[in-house]
Amino acid sequence: MNFEKPFIVFWEVTRACLLACKHCRAKAQTKPHPDELKLEESYDLIDQLRRWNPLLIITGGDPLMRKNLFDILEYLDGMRVAIAFSGTKLATKDKLKKMHDLGVSRIAVSIDGSNAKIHDHFRGRTGTFEMSLKILDMAREIGISTQINTTVTKHNIFDLPNIMKLCLEKGVDMWDVFFVVPTGRAKPELMPSAREFEDVMCWLYDVSRKTHLNVKSSAGCHLRRVEFTRDKGIYNIPHGKTYHELAKSLENFEGCSKEIVAGAYGRSLALKRILGITDGRGMLFISHVGDVYPSGFLPLKAGNVREKSLEEIYRESKIFRDLRNPENLKGKCGRCEFKYICGGSRARAYAIFGDYLMQEPKCIYVPKVVSKR
């Protein structure tokens, strides 16, 4: 796969948000930025995206803080679109119904704790937990596909089984588990250890096989290695204490057959799961002012859509060309036999080492391939 075009695009339509999340990469503010892309500029951007036909994720900030959001959604007619927004009173049933009518394929809300005490503390506002649950219930009643996004930190690892049960109770179509990257408001001390990353990923593999829940990871590319090696029966890393503790939550699950939805491991209904997509490789991020990045968590600007076409930025900028070729990776990622299906988080490598091509700092796997460099 040469990734000559992106398969997934994240578009931050606004940076405005009513919340103050501890991990927010955007350092969101309560008011829209005065230089946000204007509506006509947004239409031009959509015309450019339409040539690629990627899966488009509308994000923020909180997209619902953008006054002409529904004009944008209407203009996206025919494209594969999902939207992630905050758990606030802005997400009314009427707005969810309108999203459904305009063809939005899935809505996503964040749940970072199984109760209000944990979640609301993380999100910086009281009431967001209950409101997020209400949004999921309203969306299910309307018939729009739902997703829960969860950020894994050192503080909520052992609450993950409870969040998993909440996902099952709410009947969500996808659980997207994000492995925190220290950028924006997120501090390095929020990150679990590499051992804990591995244990959580192995447990997520079990969740995806033993329950009806579809699971994917964000900024956790090495889940693909875990999935591949465990599917083949060649996984050989001993499980740690965290895994064994998490595994207790699945003792009453015996496995199940299920339909795999878009983005989940295996076959997919809307977007085939393509191994190897990571920051800048089959993926890009567009900011509220038109800046283009390999991902929202890798703060190195490749260009701006007000100055160059999106295609020119993706195809010709140095950072995207560097990231598209796994042979450019350094450290153990460069020697790893799984670099074409994984490649590690380039954003986390940059955050820790200051080099987006360095090895994934939160991976315990030791490559079998001996470097020829």
Side-chain angles (χ1 to χ4, degrees), residues 154-212:
K154 290 189 72 70
H155 307 296
N156 69 350
I157 285 180
F158 294 109
D159 194 37
L160 291 175
N162 297 321
I163 301 174
M164 172 199 74
K165 292 174 184 176
L166 188 60
C167 290
L168 291 168
E169 290 170 7
K170 292 300 177 183
V172 300
D173 295 300
M174 179 68 70
W175 187 22
D176 188 351
V177 183
F178 171 72
F179 291 82
V180 69
V181 174
T183 188
R185 290 197 190 109
K187 305 301 182 186
E189 53 266 29
L190 283 176
M191 286 193 298
S193 68
R195 171 74 268 179
E196 289 168 327
F197 265 53
E198 188 78 8
D199 283 350
V200 171
M201 289 176 182
C202 280
W203 176 75
L204 289 174
Y205 176 93
D206 293 345
V207 170
S208 70
R209 299 314 188 272
K210 292 186 176 183
T211 77
H212 290 283

Side-chain angles (χ1 to χ4, degrees), residues 61-273:
D62 181 355
L64 293 174
M65 292 284 285
R66 176 141 183 164
K67 292 182 180 179
N68 54 17
L69 171 66
F70 289 96
D71 293 312
I72 290 172
L73 294 179
E74 185 173 9
Y75 197 78
L76 285 165
D77 180 46
M79 292 184 65
R80 296 171 294 174
V81 180
I83 185 168
F85 47 80
S86 302
T88 72
K89 293 181 180 180
L90 292 176
T92 64
K93 191 171 184 178
D94 284 345
K95 289 178 182 176
L96 294 177
K97 177 67 165 56
K98 195 169 183 180
M99 290 178 196
H100 181 264
D101 293 344
L102 289 173
V104 172
S105 60
R106 183 179 299 163
I107 64 106
V109 295
S110 294
I111 300 287
D112 298 300
S114 63
N115 57 59
K117 182 179 180 180
I118 301 173
H119 175 85
D120 289 359
H121 174 72
F122 191 72
R123 291 283 155 181
R125 295 286 185 275
T126 58
T128 58
F129 179 74
E130 293 300 329
M131 190 62 214
S132 296
L133 297 185
K134 183 179 178 180
I135 291 168
L136 291 171
D137 290 338
M138 291 189 297
R140 189 173 184 180
E141 183 179 337
I142 291 168
I144 189 169
S145 175
T146 56
Q147 175 175 310
I148 284 178
N149 296 340
T150 298
T151 299
V152 180
T153 71
K154 290 189 72 70
H155 307 296
N156 69 350
I157 285 180
F158 294 109
D159 194 37
L160 291 175
N162 297 321
I163 301 174
M164 172 199 74
K165 292 174 184 176
L166 188 60
C167 290
L168 291 168
E169 290 170 7
K170 292 300 177 183
V172 300
D173 295 300
M174 179 68 70
W175 187 22
D176 188 351
V177 183
F178 171 72
F179 291 82
V180 69
V181 174
T183 188
R185 290 197 190 109
K187 305 301 182 186
E189 53 266 29
L190 283 176
M191 286 193 298
S193 68
R195 171 74 268 179
E196 289 168 327
F197 265 53
E198 188 78 8
D199 283 350
V200 171
M201 289 176 182
C202 280
W203 176 75
L204 289 174
Y205 176 93
D206 293 345
V207 170
S208 70
R209 299 314 188 272
K210 292 186 176 183
T211 77
H212 290 283
L213 190 57
N214 287 293
V215 180
K216 70 180 289 291
S217 68
S218 293
C221 301
H222 25 326
L223 178 58
R224 301 164 188 169
R225 167 182 52 80
V226 171
E227 291 170 333
F228 181 86
T229 54
R230 290 192 63 182
D231 278 353
K232 297 289 186 181
I234 58 175
Y235 185 85
N236 60 2
I237 299 175
H239 295 314
K241 292 181 180 179
T242 298
Y243 170 82
H244 290 296
E245 184 63 30
L246 294 173
K248 294 176 183 177
S249 64
L250 297 173
E251 289 176 351
N252 295 324
F253 292 92
E254 297 180 354
C256 66
S257 60
K258 62 188 175 187
E259 182 176 65
I260 306 297
V261 303
Y265 180 64
R267 59 192 174 83
S268 171
L269 298 181
L271 178 71
K272 185 178 180 181
R273 170 87 168 255

